[in-house]
Amino acid sequence: MENSQLNNPDFQHKDQGQDTNKKPDSIELNTQFDYDKYNIGPDDFKAEKEKLIKKGEEAKERQTNLFPVEVFPLPVQQIITSTNEDLNYPIDFIGASLLYAVSVAVGNTHKVEVKKEWLESSVLYLAIVARAGTNKSHPLSFALQPIVEHDKKTYMQYEQQKMEFDKAVSISKKEREQQTIDEPIKPVWKKYLLSDFTPEALAEVHKNNKRGIGVYVDELAGWFKNFNRYNNGSEMEFWLSVWSGKPINIDRKTGEPVFIPLPFISVGGTIQNGILNELAKGSRTQNGFIDRILFVIPDNIKKEYWSETDLNPVVSENWQNIVSNLLSLSITNDDTFNPQPEILKFTPEAKKILFEWQKGNTDQSNDIENETVNGIYSKLEMYAVRLALILEMMRYACRESDKLAVSVEATQGAIKLVEYFKISAIKVHSIISNVSPLDKQPIDKQNLYRALPNTFTTEQGLQIAKNLEVPERTFKRFLNETSLFRKITRGEYQKV
């Protein structure tokens, strides 16, 4: 399938507009991506499927945690595979980067309701982990480029408005009246992305753009190392609260106080494997801070040769269109001029799937006697909801959804993503605890683990356990240790 087949000049939705205190009028949307128009037929779907199956088989051979590309809308899958093939972007890195960019673009325009009084936003804390030279920064830059371009345009508008403001204040009030110039209002720049900032500057930017902002830090180590750099306060608690959507209330010694009742700050960046241990310093492993981070840490990532293939410009244009569709969403303000997100609910079937998964996740957590791992499992339940919202909004931007509710497709996709991030989180936990997860097990379980083949069925495992005099109940509980085993299919497991 040629990349040009996905160039959709009609991507733009009609509900574009600026912030308003009134709900936008209802509109008709073409909710389907026009596959026929761009000659995308059954053979193209088959080719994409075969490509994903092949990648899955290759990953299985390497015993890797495969990133679930299939959860994305087809146009986004094509962006992921094209940047992987032409630019050597690792699948995991570009896939996660696109999720982060959509998180920022959605901001406070939408929330998802799990049940009454329980709403989740699309806030993500994302960390791409790999050694230097493995192309971990470029995927994030690619994903965020449409938002960077948006900030460039709004900054030019701000500069023009600032010039007009300066000109207006330079003349007397009497002269302004004679020239019928209104009382000048100082303009502000509503930017989306920040990289280097003080806590006060962050709050000021967010005050000017209550729709939501993204913190993009190329080296995340600088982010958490600088906690409390500017004051002796509790910046760590600030980030814990922001993740949970709690109001920001800052009293400043100089300047006006800042109060943001509905904050939205997503964080994304990269970190090298060797610096992961820095994360464990202080109280970050005890207060749930690390549990709030989605880690992308694939196996067998190596530095690649330079690619001689150029990316088809249509791929970048398509991503620009998708993100623009989200940035152009109208946002409603309440009578205090604060955002009033549109609330999406899960369809009944999607909600059933989500709650059934949560039961299984809870059972797994209860079977593991490790507080750190329990914390990971708990926070990932929140992320299952948030990722479902992100995928639904992504489907909407690709005209595969009318966003009337969070669909089964988005919910199932979110669960697959969470299972991926779960394995990654366990891997990071093992690294920062500096102890092999096997070493934490009693001797009988260590011997059992070593006796098991790399892949095995439950029946084979039970026989080996029986030979080593390990009870059946103990063996089956042992299989729940996700840091040691990965379930391939029903009744079949793989050693991690």
Side-chain angles (χ1 to χ4, degrees):
M1 176 169 58
E2 295 295 327
N3 289 336
S4 60
Q5 295 169 344
L6 288 174
N7 185 18
N8 187 350
D10 299 320
F11 249 155
Q12 296 293 329
H13 285 296
K14 296 178 183 178
D15 63 339
Q16 298 179 356
Q18 304 300 319
D19 293 6
T20 175
N21 290 318
K22 291 167 43 172
K23 286 187 179 291
D25 294 333
S26 61
I27 56 174
E28 281 190 13
L29 292 173
N30 174 14
T31 59
Q32 299 297 321
F33 187 87
D34 196 348
Y35 296 108
D36 292 334
K37 182 177 179 180
Y38 300 99
N39 301 317
I40 302 175
D43 290 341
D44 299 309
F45 283 99
K46 184 179 179 182
E48 285 295 323
K49 183 178 180 181
E50 289 175 352
K51 191 182 295 183
L52 291 173
I53 291 173
K54 182 181 178 182
K55 287 181 180 293
E57 290 172 347
E58 292 173 351
K60 184 176 178 181
E61 289 175 5
R62 298 193 304 269
Q63 298 185 28
T64 61
N65 180 21
L66 181 65
F67 188 86
V69 180
E70 69 277 7
V71 307
F72 294 91
L74 185 63
V76 179
Q77 290 184 36
Q78 183 66 20
I79 291 167
I80 293 172
T81 54
S82 295
T83 52
N84 172 248
E85 292 165 1
D86 298 338
L87 302 178
N88 290 333
Y89 289 176
I91 291 287
D92 306 57
F93 295 171
I94 183 62
S97 296
L98 300 184
L99 288 171
Y100 173 68
V102 170
S103 163
V104 177
V106 171
N108 268 327
T109 64
H110 290 73
K111 283 194 172 189
V112 59
E113 179 182 292
V114 182
K115 56 184 184 179
K116 261 189 176 178
E117 306 300 326
W118 180 5
L119 303 175
E120 291 290 338
S121 70
S122 61
V123 163
L124 302 182
Y125 286 3
L126 178 75
I128 294 176
V129 187
R131 61 189 181 89
T134 51
N135 223 351
K136 61 182 184 294
S137 297
H138 291 127
L140 262 173
S141 297
F142 174 90
L144 292 172
Q145 189 58 35
I147 304 178
V148 171
E149 291 300 320
H150 187 278
D151 277 350
K152 284 182 182 178
K153 290 179 182 177
T154 57
Y155 185 71
M156 289 178 62
Q157 294 168 2
Y158 163 75
E159 282 191 312
Q160 180 63 37
Q161 292 167 358
K162 183 66 166 56
M163 288 174 58
E164 294 171 0
F165 171 80
D166 291 340
K167 181 180 178 180
V169 297
S170 67
I171 61 178
S172 67
K173 184 176 181 180
K174 185 176 181 180
E175 289 176 309
R176 287 199 295 270
E177 290 174 350
Q178 291 173 345
Q179 299 178 33
T180 64
I181 299 176
D182 294 333
E183 188 69 24
I185 300 175
K186 188 175 182 179
V188 296
W189 178 29
K190 292 185 178 181
K191 64 188 296 189
Y192 278 90
L193 294 174
L194 294 88
S195 292
D196 189 23
F197 52 85
T198 66
E200 287 192 357
L202 177 71
E204 189 66 29
V205 169
H206 198 354
K207 185 181 75 171
N208 293 334
N209 184 10
K210 294 180 181 179
R211 174 184 173 124
I213 58 177
V215 168
Y216 167 50
V217 186
D218 190 37
E219 290 293 342
L220 278 172
W223 174 51
F224 56 76
K225 278 183 179 179
N226 287 334
F227 283 174
N228 305 327
R229 175 177 58 164
Y230 299 100
N231 55 56
N232 295 319
S234 51
E235 194 172 339
M236 170 77 75
E237 284 68 28
F238 170 85
W239 289 107
L240 292 171
S241 297
V242 165
W243 186 88
S244 301
K246 296 179 180 177
I248 295 175
N249 194 343
I250 298 178
D251 291 314
R252 300 184 291 184
K253 292 181 179 178
T254 59
E256 297 293 323
V258 175
F259 177 61
I260 303 172
L262 194 65
F264 184 101
I265 307 176
S266 273
V267 181
T270 66
I271 186 171
Q272 295 185 33
N273 301 66
I275 306 177
L276 273 177
N277 284 320
E278 293 286 337
L279 273 173
K281 293 183 178 180
S283 59
R284 291 190 280 268
T285 55
Q286 283 80 41
N287 62 12
F289 174 75
I290 294 179
D291 303 341
R292 288 166 166 79
I293 301 176
L294 294 176
F295 289 99
V296 184
I297 181 169
D299 299 317
N300 303 316
I301 287 291
K302 297 178 181 179
K303 179 177 172 60
E304 299 280 356
Y305 297 126
W306 288 351
S307 171
E308 297 183 24
T309 308
D310 290 328
L311 184 69
N312 190 318
V314 171
V315 177
S316 299
E317 290 170 12
N318 281 342
W319 182 239
Q320 175 73 46
N321 288 336
I322 291 169
V323 176
S324 294
N325 286 342
L326 297 172
L327 290 175
S328 62
L329 284 167
S330 298
I331 185 168
T332 303
N333 291 331
D334 61 20
D335 54 7
T336 64
F337 301 101
N338 286 298
Q340 194 170 36
E342 182 178 337
I343 308 301
L344 299 187
K345 295 184 178 181
F346 287 89
T347 66
E349 189 179 359
K351 189 171 183 179
K352 182 179 179 181
I353 292 170
L354 177 66
F355 275 64
E356 284 299 318
W357 171 82
Q358 191 274 337
K359 289 178 183 176
N361 188 66
T362 299
D363 289 341
Q364 287 183 30
S365 180
N366 290 335
D367 286 337
I368 299 172
E369 297 179 1
N370 183 308
E371 287 188 12
T372 301
V373 176
N374 294 152
I376 292 170
Y377 276 54
S378 296
K379 292 299 182 291
L380 284 174
E381 291 180 355
M382 306 300 105
Y383 269 128
V385 178
R386 296 181 183 193
L387 288 167
L389 174 61
I390 289 172
L391 289 178
E392 192 63 46
M393 297 304 296
M394 190 181 284
R395 294 180 69 239
Y396 168 77
C398 293
R399 294 192 178 277
E400 292 187 7
S401 163
D402 53 14
K403 74 175 178 65
L404 294 178
V406 176
S407 63
V408 167
E409 292 85 352
T411 305
Q412 290 174 330
I415 289 171
K416 285 185 177 182
L417 285 167
V418 163
E419 292 299 327
Y420 166 86
F421 286 119
K422 183 187 293 183
I423 295 172
S424 298
I426 298 297
K427 183 176 179 180
V428 169
H429 167 62
S430 299
I431 293 172
I432 63 179
S433 62
N434 205 28
V435 179
S436 164
L438 184 60
D439 292 338
K440 299 177 183 178
Q441 300 295 329
I443 296 300
D444 60 337
K445 289 184 178 179
Q446 290 185 33
N447 292 335
L448 171 59
Y449 185 84
R450 295 188 179 101
L452 291 167
N454 281 335
T455 58
F456 59 92
T457 64
T458 305
E459 186 178 350
Q460 291 171 332
L462 283 170
Q463 186 58 52
I464 294 171
K466 183 178 179 181
N467 295 340
L468 295 175
E469 298 182 348
V470 175
E472 178 179 339
R473 179 180 173 84
T474 300
F475 171 72
K476 289 184 174 179
R477 286 175 63 93
F478 189 38
L479 289 178
N480 290 319
E481 293 287 348
T482 53
S483 59
L484 297 173
F485 302 103
R486 181 168 71 89
K487 188 174 182 179
I488 303 173
T489 59
R490 184 179 177 85
E492 187 177 0
Y493 293 84
Q494 184 179 70
K495 290 162 68 174
V496 176

